[in-house]
Amino acid sequence: MNRKTFLPNIAFFDSGQGGLTVWENVLKRFPQLSTQYMGDNARCPYGNKSGETISRYAAEAAFFLASRNASLIVVACGTVSSVAVNHLQKIYKVPIIGIVEGFCSHVAHTLENQKERTVAVLATRFTIKSQRILEELNKHHINSVWQKACPLFVPLVEEGIASGPLVDSACDMYLWDIPSDVKIVMLACTHYPRIVLPIAESLERRTGRSVILKTLEGDWLLKLGSKSREDPIFLMESSVSIVRDVEDYLHKHDTENILRSGSQQHILCTDSPSQFGEVARIFTKETLNNVELVKIFFEH
Ligand code: DGL
């Protein structure tokens, strides 16, 4: 299909449902945008794979989206952002942004003059192993960093399971040894905001402190602490900084045609569109048009 068949758009991709948390926040802020969202659910999860494999998947996704007239590609995936964004930026002409830099600088800004406090990073196995977020936090002089790979969270979300005993046990298992002085918990995988409430409840069980979610609209008290209201834990996710990055892009570029083209959303996946759509509808308040099955790679 010819590139011109598609309206200029902002494209998002992830291994599956997770990046929809980023996509929907960007759309909430800029409802007039045309977008495409691609979940590579045929190959999800990415977080347990090698850096070479993840980079290859990411290059295929970016190539596919660029060929459908993307003006900007948002890597709405912590795992891909940790390993492949610099490489993608070198091989494609279309601007590409990931979550790591903006998210870490937002965390640093939120901590202000409490940089000695602990920042906890919850992410996929690959993201933690890559140490990419740790490196970036260190650049902001945040040195007390506690990291935990939470590989069970992505399959739970992909199954549409966002609450109940299974999720609670997984949260308690991963968070039982979180340092009690933790100030910020980074949800560094875009799937995790789907289970933000059980994560907050588990943090409260462990520390007795209140838990506040930082959102674009302001602070939300998710869980009132049993011990005290003082010194709450802040839960942060990547979409707040991505919305700012997209805003920045729109200011700097001649984006009239993206904004004028008339808000069209395309949701794409690489396997079982009906199942992808059903699970997406559990999680997103946006009305999803038909989910389209696409082929972005050839068997190797
Ligand atoms: N949502 C992704 C991330 O932010 C990918 C998770 C996965 O596929 O393992 O890391």
Side-chain angles (χ1 to χ4, degrees):
M1 205 176 286
N2 188 312
R3 184 181 158 85
K4 292 213 173 78
T5 318
F6 300 96
L7 294 172
N9 61 81
I10 293 193
F12 299 76
F13 79 90
D14 179 45
S15 61
Q17 304 279 335
L20 287 168
T21 58
V22 175
W23 172 80
E24 65 198 358
N25 274 318
V26 171
L27 264 190
K28 213 193 285 169
R29 174 75 185 80
F30 302 107
Q32 70 278 43
L33 280 181
S34 284
T35 66
Q36 359 174 22
Y37 176 88
M38 211 271 302
D40 186 11
N41 59 334
R43 304 187 287 191
C44 185
Y46 282 9
N48 297 337
K49 303 202 161 63
S50 68
E52 293 73 38
T53 301
I54 297 164
S55 297
R56 173 162 55 81
Y57 290 176
E60 287 166 348
F63 180 80
F64 177 82
L65 293 167
S67 73
R68 291 172 56 120
N69 215 6
S71 308
L72 170 71
I73 296 179
V74 177
V75 176
C77 172
T79 308
V80 173
S81 300
S82 299
V83 62
V85 167
N86 292 348
H87 176 64
L88 295 178
Q89 285 166 339
K90 281 185 202 133
I91 58 177
Y92 294 112
K93 269 205 268 171
V94 52
I96 297 179
I97 53 175
I99 70 161
V100 175
E101 290 85 357
F103 192 13
C104 292
S105 114
H106 186 209
V107 165
H109 184 77
T110 306
L111 268 183
E112 283 182 334
N113 47 11
Q114 294 192 73
K115 295 222 175 130
E116 72 295 346
R117 297 290 299 269
T118 298
V119 170
V121 182
L122 309 184
T124 63
R125 201 172 267 146
F126 183 88
T127 301
I128 300 296
K129 213 169 80 195
S130 77
Q131 306 279 44
R132 180 70 192 90
I133 293 185
L134 175 69
E135 263 169 34
E136 199 62 28
L137 289 172
N138 290 166
K139 283 188 201 159
H140 292 279
H141 311 290
I142 297 168
N143 297 314
S144 177
V145 180
W146 180 85
Q147 305 189 81
K148 186 59 79 89
C150 310
L152 289 178
F153 285 172
V154 169
L156 286 168
V157 170
E158 290 290 325
E159 284 298 321
I161 303 171
S163 61
L166 263 183
V167 185
D168 292 342
S169 305
C171 292
D172 288 346
M173 180 177 77
Y174 291 132
L175 297 173
W176 72 272
D177 56 345
I178 195 165
S180 51
D181 81 317
V182 65
K183 186 63 204 167
I184 290 182
V185 177
M186 293 174 73
L187 304 181
C189 166
T190 52
H191 280 71
Y192 299 178
R194 297 300 193 219
I195 51 168
V196 72
L197 198 54
I199 291 174
E201 287 167 353
S202 176
L203 286 169
E204 194 275 332
R205 278 196 291 281
R206 161 79 186 102
T207 65
R209 289 161 62 201
S210 295
V211 183
I212 285 177
L213 177 67
K214 295 266 171 201
T215 74
L216 276 173
E217 291 83 24
D219 289 356
W220 273 23
L221 178 66
L222 282 185
K223 186 72 196 165
L224 189 58
S226 57
K227 285 191 190 143
S228 95
R229 269 172 174 273
E230 274 156 41
D231 194 25
I233 297 173
F234 294 142
L235 264 180
M236 294 180 65
E237 48 131 338
S238 59
S239 61
V240 176
S241 49
I242 287 286
V243 169
R244 291 200 186 124
D245 289 346
V246 170
E247 188 160 33
D248 220 40
Y249 170 85
L250 294 171
H251 278 144
K252 286 190 191 137
H253 294 79
D254 176 18
T255 47
E256 217 183 303
N257 53 358
I258 308 183
L259 296 172
R260 222 186 25 205
S261 57
S263 182
Q264 280 191 6
Q265 321 312 331
H266 291 280
I267 307 292
L268 321 168
C269 70
T270 52
D271 199 9
S272 314
S274 57
Q275 196 193 323
F276 188 88
E278 258 166 51
V279 174
R281 276 176 207 101
I282 297 174
F283 290 121
T284 182
K285 288 181 213 80
E286 294 291 332
T287 316
L288 298 179
N289 298 325
N290 287 339
V291 179
E292 189 188 331
L293 178 66
V294 292
K295 193 163 176 68
I296 65 163
F297 56 90
F298 299 94
E299 304 308 332
H300 294 271

